[in-house]
Amino acid sequence: VRIWRTARTQSEILSTMRWITGLEHNPDLVAWWKFNEPGDSTDHGHFAMHTKALDASGHGNDLSLIREPRSMNTRITVPGTKGALLNTGLLQFRNNFALQKQASKMPGGSFTVEFWARGGAASDDAQQQRSTNLFSYATESLGTGNARTGFMDDALRIERLLSEQTPMWLEHRVSTVGAIALHINSNEHTDSEDSRSWVYYDAGWLDDQWHHVAATWDADSGTAAVYFDGKPTTPFWKAEGGSRSTVHPDDGGVDPIVAPRSNRGTDGSLVLGQDQDCFGGCFSSSDAFKGDMAVVRVWRRVLDISEITQNMAKARPNSNDELAALYI
């Protein structure tokens, strides 16, 4: 994209329209954005999205390609209480994301991730956004002796489903509208079904109000759980070991065991508000979260339901035991 301070003739336009260099510091050129800049010194070619387009004309008219999430104070009415209020901060997402490329000391085994979130109402409208991603951690899988054995774009991902996704032919078909999907030690940016492990939960997240989400996974047993506003939800669809299964919540749901005794790296890329299909990047606007998040906590252990409900109305938990990250 070029902006000139003169009215260029057809011959002038044709003579330079394919030039990728040679016009730098042209006195008549106001701005020139090539959109091909490499990343910063920590990029090493892994990140598909950059935050700034440099002005190649030399006039300094750089473009910001993304606006950081906006922070502000908020007051959340805690569901299931007699009007208890949580006074805290929030991040407002509008097709953007919060990124920490070098997250450290993240859970390598068992975990709990919990947060408050408020997004748009879900519906079965065909034009509705398919899903919205709230939490994404990418790293490498670990084998014997903690040897790195492969990339996992969905080492830990929490997704809210906004539209119908289950195939019409699927036995025990359950609507995915308002469901929460938990992806664990999974690599979904691949054609291999064996690399995918996820569970869908019947959360019924249909409205545009604040809700508390807590996801847990026990590394030894592989048992995964999702709590919505402090209440357990029923898993009804899962992928594990190359196969998929579904059981209606009214019939008890599926066995929520996925990826038992698998490990992930404790250093990786953490993203709020998007789904990373490569390490720290490869974002798509169709995956973006439009809404607000508050009080994000990451634990290196499984919290029981009493701990989750006791801390829901607090910005800071009663105990920091194995707390890996806290964003308020």
Side-chain angles (χ1 to χ4, degrees), residues 31-300:
W32 181 11
W33 301 291
K34 298 182 180 181
F35 304 111
N36 65 347
E37 296 82 11
D40 57 31
S41 60
T42 63
D43 191 318
H44 304 303
H46 292 299
F47 306 108
M49 170 172 276
H50 305 290
T51 60
K52 183 179 290 186
L54 302 181
D55 178 10
S57 74
H59 297 304
N61 293 312
D62 300 340
L63 291 178
S64 294
L65 301 181
I66 188 168
R67 180 178 298 174
E68 294 181 353
R70 182 183 177 190
S71 62
M72 63 186 73
N73 294 325
T74 189
R75 177 176 294 180
I76 299 172
T77 301
V78 180
T81 67
K82 296 180 179 180
L85 296 175
L86 171 61
N87 295 300
T88 185
L90 66 77
L91 277 183
Q92 185 181 76
F93 295 87
R94 297 294 184 268
N95 195 26
N96 49 14
F97 53 86
L99 167 65
Q100 171 52 267
K101 294 180 183 178
Q102 298 174 331
S104 62
K105 298 182 180 180
M106 294 289 285
S110 300
F111 67 77
T112 299
V113 174
E114 55 177 335
F115 53 80
W116 285 93
R118 174 176 62 184
S123 73
D124 56 3
D125 186 344
Q127 302 301 314
Q128 173 80 44
Q129 182 179 354
R130 177 179 178 272
S131 67
T132 184
N133 288 270
L134 297 118
F135 187 99
S136 171
Y137 175 63
T139 184
E140 293 184 279
S141 57
L142 301 181
T144 304
N146 287 334
R148 298 180 183 272
T149 57
F151 173 66
M152 292 191 295
D153 63 329
D154 288 338
L156 205 174
R157 177 160 66 96
I158 300 175
E159 174 187 20
R160 179 193 179 195
L161 286 302
L162 299 176
S163 64
E164 196 62 68
Q165 291 193 30
T166 48
M168 295 297 294
W169 49 262
L170 190 66
E171 187 180 7
H172 309 298
R173 187 170 183 268
V174 183
S175 173
T176 59
V177 179
I180 293 175
L182 177 58
H183 306 251
I184 302 169
N185 293 353
S186 180
N187 184 9
E188 299 185 30
H189 198 57
T190 175
D191 293 331
S192 173
E193 287 288 333
D194 294 342
S195 302
R196 305 182 182 191
S197 52
W198 45 255
V199 188
Y200 282 36
Y201 294 83
D202 186 25
W205 188 356
L206 301 175
D207 61 25
D208 58 358
Q209 302 302 303
W210 280 108
H211 291 284
H212 187 267
V213 176
T216 71
W217 179 72
D218 180 76
D220 290 334
S221 67
T223 302
V226 168
Y227 301 89
F228 189 65
D229 289 336
K231 298 178 180 179
T233 61
T234 303
F236 65 88
W237 193 23
K238 80 169 185 177
E240 168 72 2
S243 63
R244 301 188 182 191
S245 59
T246 179
V247 177
H248 198 282
D250 293 345
D251 297 323
V254 297
D255 183 357
I257 295 177
V258 290
R261 296 174 297 282
S262 60
N263 298 301
R264 75 190 75 81
T266 58
D267 298 328
S269 174
L270 175 61
V271 175
L272 301 181
Q274 256 289 2
D275 171 27
Q276 48 189 328
D277 285 332
C278 62
F279 192 82
C282 300
F283 301 121
S284 169
S285 59
S286 62
D287 294 322
F289 172 56
K290 183 179 180 180
D292 307 320
M293 292 185 73
V295 194
V296 180
R297 292 192 280 249
V298 183
W299 303 80
R300 289 184 292 264

